[in-house]
Amino acid sequence: MENYQILTLNSGQPLILYQENEKVYMYTVYSGRIQSHGVIFDDLSDQLFLHPGEVNYVSYISTHGRLRLYQLKDMRFLELLSLSNDAGEHREFLQCRLHAFHSKIFLFYSVHNPEDSSNSLFYISMDSLQKSSLLCQKNYSFQGFSIMNLPNGILIAVFSKEQTTYLEMDSNLQIHPFQNTVSASSTKAFQTLEKEFQKQKQQCESLQQELYQKNNEILTLKSTQKHITEQYNDLADFSGKLQEELRKVRYL
C-alpha cells in the first residue's frame, strides 16, 4: 500500500507522511526542497489515520495487533495510547478512525471478541484517554462503521450483512438510536447530512489533487537527486583516476 497524507505545521511548513506497506516516512518541504526525516512508524498493518489541527494526531492498528495513538509535538510523534490484543483480554482490533466534533477529538475503534464471535464498537475522547466507552455490540456479521457530523451530534452508521444500524451521539456524549422518521427535523438532518457528504467529497477531491501535485514534486526531486548523485559519482571516479595519474607522473 502506498499513500500520502499532508498536514501544515504552525509555521506554515508542509509535512508529508508517506506510507509504503508497513512503513511511514516523514518529509518536510522548505523553499521548494524536500527534507527526509526517515521512517517514523514501521509496523502498520493497514492504514494510517491522521487528524490535522491545532493538535495533530495519528492512529493505526499495528502488525502486532495493537491499537496505537500518537500526537505530533516538536517534530516528533509521541505515543499517547497503545492498547494490546493479548490473550488475556480476548480481543482483536479491526478498524479505527479519528473524528472531530466541535472542539473535541475522538478515536473510534472496533474489536472482535473470539470467545463469543461478537464485534464491538468503542470510542475514546482525547480529553480522557483512560476511559473507553462502548457504543454497540454486534454479531459476527459486523462489516464496519462510518461517522458523520450532524448539527448537534455525531451520526454513526454500523454496517452488518443484515442491515445498517444508525446511532446518534449527542453533544453530551449520550448515545441514542437515530430515528429515521418522516418529520421536519429528520428531513433537515438528512439534508444537512447530504451537504456534509458533498463537502467531504469536495475536500477529498481537493486533497487528491494536492497529493498528486506533491507526488509529482517528490518524483521530480528524486529524479534530480539521482542525476546529481550520478554526476557526483562520475566526478569522484574521474578525480580518483586523475590523482592516480598524478602519482605516476610524480615518481617518473
Side-chain angles (χ1 to χ4, degrees):
M1 174 186 291
E2 293 186 0
N3 181 35
Y4 291 95
Q5 297 197 61
I6 301 174
L7 57 87
T8 302
L9 302 175
N10 293 333
S11 63
Q13 185 180 12
L15 186 146
I16 302 171
L17 300 180
Y18 170 61
Q19 179 183 347
E20 184 176 3
N21 298 322
E22 73 278 2
K23 294 183 179 180
V24 177
Y25 301 83
M26 185 168 74
Y27 301 90
T28 51
V29 182
Y30 182 74
S31 299
R33 295 173 178 261
I34 294 182
Q35 180 181 358
S36 173
H37 297 270
V39 177
I40 54 172
F41 305 118
D42 61 1
D43 61 344
L44 269 72
S45 64
D46 186 16
Q47 184 178 355
L48 181 75
F49 290 93
L50 166 68
H51 182 273
E54 292 185 4
V55 180
N56 298 293
Y57 296 101
V58 297
S59 180
Y60 65 91
I61 298 173
S62 75
T63 51
H64 300 293
R66 301 185 73 92
L67 176 64
R68 297 188 180 276
L69 174 69
Y70 291 83
Q71 174 187 340
L72 177 63
K73 188 174 184 179
D74 299 328
M75 294 299 294
R76 294 178 57 199
F77 282 94
L78 305 178
E79 186 175 76
L80 302 179
L81 190 68
S82 180
L83 301 180
S84 67
N85 65 341
D86 57 38
E89 297 182 5
H90 300 290
R91 61 182 179 182
E92 298 172 1
F93 294 100
L94 301 175
Q95 296 173 293
C96 65
R97 298 284 190 280
L98 285 165
H99 189 79
F101 175 67
H102 291 179
S103 60
K104 293 183 179 294
I105 311 297
F106 299 94
L107 173 62
F108 291 85
Y109 65 94
S110 57
V111 299
H112 174 67
N113 306 294
E115 284 188 335
D116 57 6
S117 297
S118 66
N119 299 282
S120 305
L121 180 61
F122 296 85
Y123 76 88
I124 296 174
S125 171
M126 298 300 106
D127 297 333
S128 181
L129 293 175
Q130 295 76 25
K131 180 182 178 182
S132 180
S133 301
L134 177 66
L135 281 168
C136 71
Q137 192 166 13
K138 289 285 185 180
N139 60 21
Y140 62 88
S141 66
F142 173 89
Q143 294 179 317
F145 65 95
S146 181
I147 308 167
M148 178 67 66
N149 283 345
L150 295 172
N152 299 307
I154 300 175
L155 178 64
I156 305 159
V158 182
F159 308 112
S160 65
K161 294 180 180 179
E162 298 85 5
Q163 63 180 1
T164 299
T165 302
Y166 294 96
L167 303 172
E168 181 179 359
M169 178 190 289
D170 63 27
S171 57
N172 295 319
L173 307 185
Q174 298 299 312
I175 306 299
H176 313 279
F178 184 76
Q179 300 298 328
N180 183 9
T181 58
V182 182
S183 64
S185 59
S186 180
T187 301
K188 183 178 180 181
F190 276 106
Q191 288 175 346
T192 303
L193 191 59
E194 180 64 24
K195 289 180 181 179
E196 286 291 332
F197 273 121
Q198 292 300 323
K199 181 180 178 181
Q200 289 201 5
K201 181 180 179 183
Q202 292 173 359
Q203 290 176 343
C204 182
E205 291 173 351
S206 176
L207 284 174
Q208 286 177 343
Q209 180 63 27
E210 184 178 359
L211 291 176
Y212 175 77
Q213 293 173 354
K214 295 298 181 183
N215 188 29
N216 284 340
E217 290 179 14
I218 290 174
L219 291 176
T220 300
L221 288 171
K222 282 185 176 181
S223 177
T224 302
Q225 183 183 28
K226 181 180 178 182
H227 181 64
I228 292 174
T229 301
E230 290 174 350
Q231 287 185 322
Y232 175 82
N233 291 337
D234 290 341
L235 182 61
D237 184 59
F238 175 75
S239 176
K241 291 179 180 179
L242 183 60
Q243 288 178 354
E244 182 65 26
E245 291 297 325
L246 288 173
R247 280 196 294 268
K248 289 180 181 179
V249 172
R250 184 180 301 173
Y251 292 104
L252 285 178

